[in-house]
Amino acid sequence: MIVFLWDAGNAHGVTDDESRARQAAGACLISGQATTARVERAVTVLGICTLTTCYQRTGDGWSARRRDGRITRWQKFDPAAS
């Protein structure tokens, strides 16, 4: 299953929708709780030994910043920078 992990400052979460992840992270930017935010696509992985689930990041995602009280355009991660 594909999920979207988001983080902005001390806030973070998981959703099944990219748009909702950007909205949640963006709300933290607009409120001043964070100056940068990231949204990254991940897949749910079942652990073999413990039968627990976890998220494996795909490296595919977007970042944004707060500038003058507004959100800058969401920009795709640069794979070469990872």
Side-chain angles (χ1 to χ4, degrees):
M1 171 188 348
I2 295 175
V3 296
F4 295 89
L5 310 177
W6 64 269
D7 60 79
N10 292 327
H12 59 274
V14 180
T15 182
D16 63 348
D17 182 78
E18 177 189 335
S19 178
R20 281 196 299 266
R22 286 187 191 197
Q23 288 174 349
C28 293
L29 290 174
I30 291 170
S31 71
Q33 296 174 352
T35 56
T36 62
R38 291 172 46 106
V39 172
E40 186 171 355
R41 187 184 323 263
V43 292
T44 305
V45 178
L46 179 63
I48 296 172
C49 297
T50 60
L51 296 179
T52 59
T53 59
C54 63
Y55 302 114
Q56 182 172 346
R57 295 176 181 269
T58 64
D60 184 26
W62 306 265
S63 62
R65 295 182 161 277
R66 183 182 77 232
R67 186 170 294 147
D68 300 325
R70 298 174 60 177
I71 299 173
T72 61
R73 182 171 53 97
W74 286 93
Q75 299 212 328
K76 195 122 170 81
F77 291 164
D78 180 1
S82 298

